[in-house]
Amino acid sequence: MNTARMTPLAISPPAIEPVSLVQARDFLRLDAADEDELLGMLVTAARLMVEAASGRMLIDQSWRLVLDRWPVGGELRLPLSPVQRIIAARVYDAAGNAQIVAASSLALIKGMDPPVIAVSGSVPMPGRERDAVEIDVVAGFGATPDLVPSPLRQAVLRLACRWFEQRGDVASRDSAQLPAEIAALLAPFRRLKL
């Protein structure tokens, strides 16, 4: 059982969105590109909502996992899914100096949900009580939209376009809930929270 406190921090967002502006304009039957800035913001917001609701990162993005110490038992269950690779890992000593963890000391086990990082070799011991271990990872289905499952791309598209069409409407009490048809697209991909 993992008892180490872990905080995931976004380092860099995806380079592209899972839905392009052209796809969103086509879906909305818009000929002009004069509202592309708004539509782009809505696509980003829809991706973030779909990621939060499903517990899945869509397009590859960099995250830092910050822990106080190494997990008991040597296995770290990740709050992000899917995870493609470990970029780097560091451990801080009492003076605040970073010691690099050898790549061979950590193994990403992808076939599990949630993904797991196993300590598979010797690692430096933390020298401070809080935020002593940092592991940088890439999370997402891949670097391009075609690697994201189509129901998740469809959920982003439909949600962004719904917000575009309904802008200015008075929010209902259920505005924080995903519409039923979008929630149904996410259902097969939804993961349990750790």
Side-chain angles (χ1 to χ4, degrees):
M1 179 177 194
N2 180 19
T3 58
R5 179 182 68 92
M6 181 179 11
T7 305
L9 303 170
I11 298 174
S12 61
I16 58 174
E17 293 296 342
V19 172
S20 71
L21 286 174
V22 171
Q23 290 170 316
R25 271 197 312 260
D26 287 350
F27 189 84
L28 289 164
R29 297 186 179 133
L30 298 175
D31 294 327
D34 54 343
E35 294 193 89
D36 276 2
E37 185 176 351
L38 170 63
L39 195 52
M41 288 188 300
L42 293 174
V43 167
T44 298
R47 173 189 47 85
L48 290 168
M49 185 167 238
V50 165
E51 287 176 339
S54 67
R56 309 282 179 193
M57 302 297 107
L58 303 186
I59 297 284
D60 284 356
Q61 49 200 278
S62 300
W63 285 79
R64 177 164 294 148
L65 306 170
V66 181
L67 303 103
D68 294 335
R69 63 187 176 283
W70 293 109
V72 175
E75 287 193 350
L76 179 64
R77 294 173 51 154
L78 304 183
L80 306 168
S81 181
V83 174
Q84 296 299 324
R85 68 186 175 281
I86 299 170
I87 301 170
R90 294 162 295 288
V91 177
Y92 290 90
D93 62 21
N97 299 313
Q99 300 175 47
I100 303 300
V101 176
S104 60
S105 294
L106 300 176
L108 176 62
I109 304 170
K110 292 185 184 181
M112 299 179 72
D113 194 21
V116 170
I117 292 178
V119 177
S120 58
S122 64
V123 292
M125 289 286 90
R128 61 186 189 196
E129 292 222 11
R130 296 268 181 230
D131 303 333
V133 178
E134 294 179 347
I135 303 171
D136 297 344
V137 299
V138 172
F141 286 99
T144 58
D146 60 306
L147 296 173
V148 177
S150 58
L152 294 174
R153 288 195 324 264
Q154 190 66 212
V156 171
L157 176 66
R158 289 177 176 272
L159 187 58
C161 292
R162 181 184 186 103
W163 288 340
F164 184 87
E165 289 175 331
Q166 294 179 358
R167 61 191 159 158
D169 291 349
V170 176
S172 70
R173 200 181 45 165
D174 296 330
S175 62
Q177 299 289 328
L178 285 173
E181 69 275 10
I182 294 170
L185 289 168
L186 300 183
F189 300 94
R190 190 164 282 149
R191 67 184 287 245
L192 298 174
K193 304 290 183 199
L194 289 179

